[in-house]
Amino acid sequence: MNSLQKQASTERSESHETFLVAFEKNLLTLNDSVEVELLLKKLQFLGINFDPFQSEVGNECGQIMDQLGLTAHMKNPYLATNILLRLLDKTEEKLNNLKQ
């Protein structure tokens, strides 16, 4: 791997990490369990209906990814799965904390 490829790969992973940190910060500001539950349902819908290995993205999945700012981060199927699982985990954790 040449240095340009390494640099591009590092920039992409930093971009994804930045997105995840920003998502978590925004999640921390939410105090309405209904709003967090809706977010969780959207992420669960993506988890069930979005296939990152397919070139075609369904209309509903595309809309949700656009709303959440995920579209650019879901190009790599392996990274998309990782990101989605991390978002689901953080969102579910927030919802559980709000319900306690």
Side-chain angles (χ1 to χ4, degrees):
M1 186 181 269
N2 69 32
S3 63
L4 287 178
Q5 287 174 323
K6 286 181 185 176
Q7 183 180 3
S9 176
T10 302
E11 287 173 4
R12 274 187 242 124
S13 68
E14 286 176 5
S15 169
H16 300 307
E17 289 301 320
T18 303
F19 171 78
L20 290 167
V21 168
F23 180 90
E24 189 171 358
K25 283 182 183 177
N26 289 336
L27 190 60
L28 290 174
T29 65
L30 299 177
N31 292 316
D32 182 8
S33 63
V34 174
E35 193 175 354
V36 176
E37 193 165 1
L38 177 61
L39 176 59
L40 182 62
K41 287 183 182 193
K42 288 179 180 181
L43 292 170
Q44 288 172 334
F45 181 87
L46 283 178
I48 293 169
N49 297 292
F50 174 67
D51 183 355
F53 291 95
Q54 295 292 324
S55 59
E56 296 279 328
V57 176
N59 190 33
E60 296 90 356
C61 289
Q63 288 177 354
I64 292 171
M65 289 189 312
D66 287 344
Q67 287 174 358
L68 301 178
L70 281 170
T71 305
H73 303 283
M74 303 300 258
K75 306 251 186 258
N76 177 328
Y78 301 103
L79 192 55
T81 303
N82 180 280
I83 290 171
L84 187 55
L85 289 173
R86 290 169 69 181
L87 295 179
L88 279 163
D89 183 52
K90 293 294 182 186
T91 306
E92 187 174 15
E93 182 181 321
K94 175 67 175 183
L95 183 60
N96 289 337
N97 287 339
L98 286 174
K99 288 186 173 184
Q100 288 181 4

